[in-house]
Amino acid sequence: FFAGIGLMRMGLELAGWKVVWANDIDEDKMKMYQGNFKNDHAHFHLGDVHDISPEDIPNVSLATASFPCNDLSLAGARRGLAGQQSGAFWGFVEVLKGMGHRRPPLIMLENVSGFLTSHDGDDFRDACVALNDLGYAVDAFIIDAALFVPQSRQRLFLIGKREIQNQLKTADTMNFYESQCRPIALAKFILWSPEIRWSLRNLPQIPKRETHLSDILEDLPSHSAFWWNNQRAEYLLNQMSDKHRAIAEKMISGDKTTYGTVFRRVRNGRSMAELRSDGVAGCLRTPRGGSGRQILFAAGQGRFAVRLLTPRECARLMGADNYRITVPLNQALFGFGDAVCVPVIRWIAEQYLNPTWKEMHVKDQ
């Protein structure tokens, strides 16, 4: 559900899963999906989740739902699960409800970390209770894609399990306060929500990535149309605050070329350019407005150059290095900005979904 351009599928397939049915409402995303998975058009169903008939869903082991985050963020005015976009979650719940005894044993929801605090936690609590009411005990964790790729992208995952074996009781898991994937805010939510039926699982430590922003960049010649002209590049430099301008000037005067990324944001009514220079890209976003486009700032030896990140670089930042990009620039940027990080999904599948599935079916062996 909410299959987007297919990065959830890519991550699952790398861990041994097979995707047999997919849905999204966005035709542009479907075109990207079908451009990459060229021989699997039949299983993609374009349309609103509210219009899906439960009878059309095959019997499956896992249902994933990366439902829209628009209303769970500041940009969406925190409308939450009552909002028009993020309210699609309830369409997903209705489909599961309609499946009756055919509901999949495992559910995985994915969204921005703001889902945890939306409406003082009420939206996340409502989602957990909704899954409980469908017969699922739940677990939750937060993973930053920066552990895998040079992109800051923190996401909240909610797992639902219909059969519970080797369950950790909440009272027995005080040590998850120190968990890499369960920060204090989430740990407190779990401990302070005894009305929710939890089924927690210990997660191994994720080793930090070794790649940096410079490792994913395309080697574009200086005459490439991607590079901005001098006037446009100077304008961006002049949009920086004194603090960010000082960082940029230090990069420019460096002995070698280094790289940073820039987002434009409105501060006190002014469009400002904010520079990040720690070797990690900011979170890819959908380019609905000027602030959604991530800009590359390359500087050193007294010079600097500016351009947008390319679609291929965005694919690499999502861990989808070999994704077939068959659509125009803006369509590709939109698709990658609204997707999941492939190695994160693979890790969850290998470290959580696969062992959980085996434990659920040990009695059948």
Side-chain angles (χ1 to χ4, degrees), residues 1 55 87 93 186 246-247 339 342 345 353:
F1 295 83
E55 289 75 25
V93 168
L186 176 57
I247 297 171
V342 172
I345 301 304
L353 300 176

Side-chain angles (χ1 to χ4, degrees), residues 31 36 61-62 67 146 166 172 174 178-179 185 210 220 230 264 278 286 320 322 348 351 353 357 362:
K31 289 177 180 176
N36 184 68
S61 305
L62 167 69
F67 61 97
N166 300 330
D172 296 339
M174 291 296 288
E178 303 299 323
S179 169
E210 298 180 357
L220 299 185
N230 291 339
R264 284 195 175 105
D278 61 351
T286 52
N322 299 318
I348 294 171
Q351 302 296 330
L353 300 176
W357 173 258
V362 67

Side-chain angles (χ1 to χ4, degrees), residues 35-57:
N36 184 68
F37 304 104
K38 291 183 178 297
N39 300 318
D40 285 344
H41 292 190
H43 79 253
F44 194 105
H45 299 262
L46 181 69
D48 192 323
V49 67
H50 296 284
D51 298 330
I52 293 172
S53 171
E55 289 75 25
D56 293 336
I57 308 298

Side-chain angles (χ1 to χ4, degrees), residues 4-18:
I5 66 171
L7 300 199
M8 176 69 76
R9 170 178 171 172
M10 289 182 73
L12 290 172
E13 287 184 337
L14 288 170
W17 291 79
K18 179 182 179 182

Side-chain angles (χ1 to χ4, degrees), residues 99-361:
M99 291 181 72
H101 70 278
R102 295 195 308 112
R103 289 172 204 149
L106 287 170
I107 299 292
M108 182 168 72
L109 306 182
E110 177 270 343
N111 216 294
V112 295
S113 56
F115 186 21
L116 178 65
T117 55
S118 176
H119 289 152
D120 295 323
D122 287 345
D123 285 326
F124 188 59
R125 182 173 288 103
D126 287 348
C128 293
V129 170
L131 292 186
N132 282 173
D133 290 344
L134 292 173
Y136 295 96
V138 296
D139 194 358
F141 46 88
I142 294 173
I143 298 179
D144 191 341
L147 292 166
F148 298 87
V149 296
Q151 180 199 177
S152 174
R153 191 180 192 86
Q154 196 175 76
R155 291 296 184 266
L156 172 64
F157 294 87
L158 179 62
I159 307 291
K161 295 173 270 190
R162 284 193 69 184
E163 301 176 44
I164 310 164
Q165 294 193 12
N166 300 330
Q167 178 183 354
L168 295 174
K169 296 179 180 178
T170 306
D172 296 339
T173 54
M174 291 296 288
N175 61 337
F176 70 61
Y177 269 89
E178 303 299 323
S179 169
Q180 180 188 40
C181 297
R182 294 190 184 97
I184 294 295
L186 176 57
K188 287 182 177 179
F189 181 93
I190 294 171
L191 290 175
W192 293 346
S193 304
E195 74 279 9
I196 295 172
R197 186 155 53 94
W198 298 100
S199 175
L200 307 178
R201 185 181 189 90
N202 283 327
L203 292 169
Q205 188 81 0
I206 304 172
K208 193 170 182 181
R209 59 169 171 86
E210 298 180 357
T211 56
H212 295 82
L213 175 63
S214 57
D215 297 319
I216 63 91
L217 297 177
E218 291 193 87
D219 186 16
L220 299 185
S222 58
H223 61 269
S224 168
F226 266 93
W227 293 108
W228 294 1
N229 61 38
N230 291 339
Q231 183 179 4
R232 191 179 179 192
E234 283 284 352
Y235 183 78
L236 180 81
L237 193 64
N238 291 329
Q239 281 187 300
M240 295 183 186
S241 65
D242 291 343
K243 175 183 175 182
H244 289 266
R245 180 66 180 259
I247 297 171
E249 294 292 351
K250 185 176 181 180
M251 291 173 64
I252 293 170
S253 62
D255 294 334
K256 61 180 182 178
T257 301
T258 56
Y259 303 92
T261 56
V262 177
F263 274 118
R264 284 195 175 105
R265 292 186 175 89
V266 176
R267 303 294 188 195
N268 299 319
R270 290 181 55 202
S271 176
M272 304 292 291
E274 299 187 351
L275 172 64
R276 178 171 184 161
S277 59
D278 61 351
V280 178
C283 183
L284 294 180
R285 303 173 187 175
T286 52
R288 287 189 173 91
S291 64
R293 296 171 177 269
Q294 192 157 187
I295 301 162
L296 178 71
F297 185 82
Q301 300 177 321
R303 296 172 294 184
F304 73 97
V306 177
R307 63 172 171 83
L308 293 178
L309 290 178
T310 69
R312 178 56 58 200
E313 290 163 349
C314 292
R316 291 170 180 169
L317 287 173
M318 298 302 280
D321 299 28
N322 299 318
Y323 194 95
R324 295 187 186 97
I325 301 172
T326 59
V327 298
L329 171 65
N330 280 350
Q331 192 172 337
L333 295 180
F334 189 94
F336 287 117
D338 208 19
V340 295
C341 183
V342 172
V344 172
I345 301 304
R346 179 179 183 175
W347 185 89
I348 294 171
E350 291 177 342
Q351 302 296 330
Y352 197 116
L353 300 176
N354 291 2
T356 299
W357 173 258
K358 290 177 182 177
E359 291 164 11
M360 288 171 134
H361 292 80

